[in-house]
Amino acid sequence: QVQLVESGGGSRQAGGSLLLTCVVSGYMSGRNCMGWYRQLPGKERDGVATIDSEGGLSYADDVKGRFTISKDNAKNTLYLQMNNLKPEDSGVYYCAADPFRGGAWCHVYQYGLDSWGKGTLVTISA
């Protein structure tokens, strides 16, 4: 089973930036999906951004233009660059991966990914 370890969370003032990192271990097939999800205080977990094995991207509307998802296959690492952070971005950010499904199945409204990390906390102050 794929294991995921997130890092990079922390506290920033509004307008600041953070880079989240997720190290992936375990088997990932040539068709896969990886993504970042977040759970804001008192809310359900929502998709933030996903990337499939062909490089297809999907973003939540409220992060478009501010967040960028990317991956380094050689380092088995997924990233989320977050710029122009807002207080409403505060929450726990989770890395997720599915080692066998990708393409059209992979998007920010897909919550059925097989493996999830334990999360990293992001706190943005006004």
Side-chain angles (χ1 to χ4, degrees):
Q1 186 173 356
V2 173
Q3 294 184 332
L4 309 167
V5 179
E6 306 98 333
S7 62
S11 299
R12 291 288 186 275
Q13 289 189 325
S17 297
L18 278 171
L19 175 65
L20 303 185
T21 298
C22 174
V23 177
V24 183
S25 60
Y27 178 72
M28 295 280 281
S29 78
R31 184 176 178 85
N32 61 68
C33 177
M34 300 185 68
W36 290 97
Y37 294 73
R38 67 185 179 189
Q39 189 160 15
L40 309 184
K43 295 190 176 182
E44 299 291 322
R45 191 175 298 187
D46 289 326
V48 176
T50 60
I51 182 168
D52 70 19
S53 43
E54 290 79 32
L57 305 176
S58 176
Y59 289 97
D61 287 342
D62 61 345
V63 306
K64 286 180 181 177
R66 300 190 299 122
F67 292 9
T68 302
I69 188 171
S70 63
K71 61 181 179 176
D72 186 331
N73 291 328
K75 295 182 178 180
N76 296 321
T77 303
L78 180 72
Y79 303 99
L80 185 68
Q81 177 66 51
M82 305 189 294
N83 298 328
N84 191 21
L85 285 160
K86 303 177 180 180
E88 51 265 40
D89 293 321
S90 297
V92 179
Y93 283 70
Y94 298 90
C95 175
D98 195 286
F100 298 111
R101 292 177 285 192
W105 184 88
C106 184
H107 55 78
V108 291
Y109 301 105
Q110 178 59 255
Y111 299 97
L113 283 73
D114 184 66
S115 299
W116 294 77
K118 294 183 178 180
T120 185
L121 179 64
V122 171
T123 304
I124 309 301
S125 58

